[in-house]
Amino acid sequence: ANPNGKISLKPLFVERGMMGLMLGTYFAAFLFWLGLVFNISQGQAFSLLELLALTPVFVIVHFLRWNIREKFKLLSDLKDFDLEKAFCRTAFDRSFVHSAIVKWYGSKEAFMRYVRGPLREELMLQGATYVPFGYFMMLSSATFAASMNHVSAMMKAQATFECIASEFLGSALGFYVFWFLFMLKICLWLTEHFAMPWWRGRLVNWLQSFVLFLVFVALYTVGFITSRFAYRHSLSGALLWMSFSFICCTMSFCIPRCVNTLKRAVAGAL
């Protein structure tokens, strides 16, 4: 039943994309845990482990680009939506859906006008990579939980308050939460704006995904090196880095929302 008299379209594009990101995030966290188990915390072996942990991001970037192209196709198809051409498995389902639509919208024609107009415009204003904030927090829980292992180990070893606070602020919060969320937002923005292949050819399409993946690796490397230097230097350095990463994270979430709000206001005025 739909007591509000309005159909809410919730396609699985977001959930598919988030599932891919979730699997990749937990895989990376798993490899970092292996590094701790086998005492791989520095040197070439640690660098190789980090590179291996980031490898799934390459596949995820390519998958997200394909996923966004599917949504672009959906938005294009909604422009010429025809209820009579919609597929139903059984005649009973078709009759039930059609009767509900007539009850909620008054007529089939009114529903088709709604799908072609307001619904399509609403989905377009959301952006191809609109993701609820709760999904991002769920993703960051994996990296945050893995980073807290270092904090708990330092607490068990009775390290000084300054060392524990620096590790928590600079690494756990600064890098593995705020900077991680910032990297995810940048990654999603890149996959949306470069979803379409630059040139024809499957190999070139994969190469395009690899270029976007290198941007993610660059962001990760800069954040990791900076955070490590900051929290190892002093508590004030860790606090400064955490503040910077928090600002970057906040801007990456707020700016798209402000742009979408502005678009809705302009669309409503027109």
Side-chain angles (χ1 to χ4, degrees):
N2 194 336
N4 295 325
K6 177 183 176 181
I7 290 180
S8 298
L9 183 62
K10 297 293 183 181
L12 295 177
F13 299 104
V14 173
E15 281 68 24
R16 287 192 308 196
M18 287 301 100
M19 177 58 72
L21 286 172
M22 178 64 74
L23 292 176
T25 302
Y26 274 90
F27 177 76
F30 170 73
L31 289 180
F32 283 127
W33 274 100
L34 283 183
L36 293 173
V37 170
F38 293 102
N39 198 25
I40 303 175
S41 59
Q42 57 186 355
Q44 294 182 351
F46 182 72
S47 300
L48 181 62
L49 186 66
E50 281 192 317
L51 182 62
L52 182 62
L54 292 176
T55 302
V57 179
F58 171 48
V59 180
I60 292 170
V61 166
H62 192 76
F63 168 74
L64 287 175
R65 290 182 56 237
W66 169 82
N67 198 42
I68 292 170
R69 289 197 299 271
E70 288 291 305
K71 183 167 185 178
F72 286 157
K73 184 179 183 302
L74 170 65
L75 294 176
S76 177
D77 293 342
L78 287 180
K79 187 177 182 180
D80 301 312
F81 174 75
D82 188 349
L83 182 62
E84 298 301 327
K85 295 180 180 179
F87 173 76
C88 289
R89 291 184 178 274
T90 65
F92 174 80
D93 290 343
R94 184 181 187 88
S95 176
F96 177 79
V97 171
H98 283 203
S99 62
I101 288 175
V102 171
K103 180 180 179 180
W104 294 336
Y105 291 87
S107 66
K108 297 178 182 179
E109 290 73 19
F111 172 71
M112 287 190 290
R113 286 195 298 270
Y114 169 72
V115 172
R116 295 170 183 171
L119 178 60
R120 180 173 178 271
E121 292 174 2
E122 181 182 349
L123 292 174
M124 292 181 68
L125 288 174
Q126 285 183 352
T129 54
Y130 168 76
V131 178
F133 183 73
Y135 286 10
F136 283 105
M137 297 307 296
M138 184 171 59
L139 288 171
S140 65
S141 65
T143 54
F144 178 71
S147 66
M148 285 301 294
N149 180 75
H150 294 275
V151 177
S152 60
M154 294 176 68
M155 294 176 64
K156 188 174 182 179
Q158 298 182 347
T160 63
F161 172 79
E162 183 176 353
C163 291
I164 297 174
S166 297
E167 177 77 24
F168 178 74
L169 296 176
S171 180
L173 287 181
F175 181 72
Y176 287 105
V177 176
F178 300 140
W179 193 256
F180 175 73
L181 292 176
F182 171 70
M183 290 191 299
L184 282 182
K185 289 292 289 185
I186 295 298
C187 182
L188 290 174
W189 185 87
L190 290 173
T191 54
E192 176 179 355
H193 287 78
F194 298 99
M196 304 305 295
W198 292 329
W199 298 283
R200 293 182 178 180
R202 183 173 299 179
L203 181 60
V204 177
N205 192 25
W206 277 97
L207 181 61
Q208 180 176 336
S209 298
F210 183 72
V211 172
L212 301 183
F213 165 69
L214 290 180
V215 176
F216 182 88
V217 173
L219 287 173
Y220 178 89
T221 303
V222 170
F224 182 78
I225 293 175
T226 306
S227 66
R228 222 174 193 194
F229 173 80
Y231 71 74
R232 287 185 174 184
H233 181 267
S234 63
L235 178 59
S236 58
L239 186 60
L240 183 64
W241 157 250
M242 186 201 70
S243 301
F244 173 75
S245 61
F246 175 76
I247 292 173
C248 292
C249 176
T250 303
M251 291 180 62
S252 67
F253 279 91
C254 292
I255 291 178
R257 290 189 177 184
C258 293
V259 172
N260 289 336
T261 302
L262 181 62
K263 286 182 178 179
R264 287 190 178 94
V266 172
L270 297 177

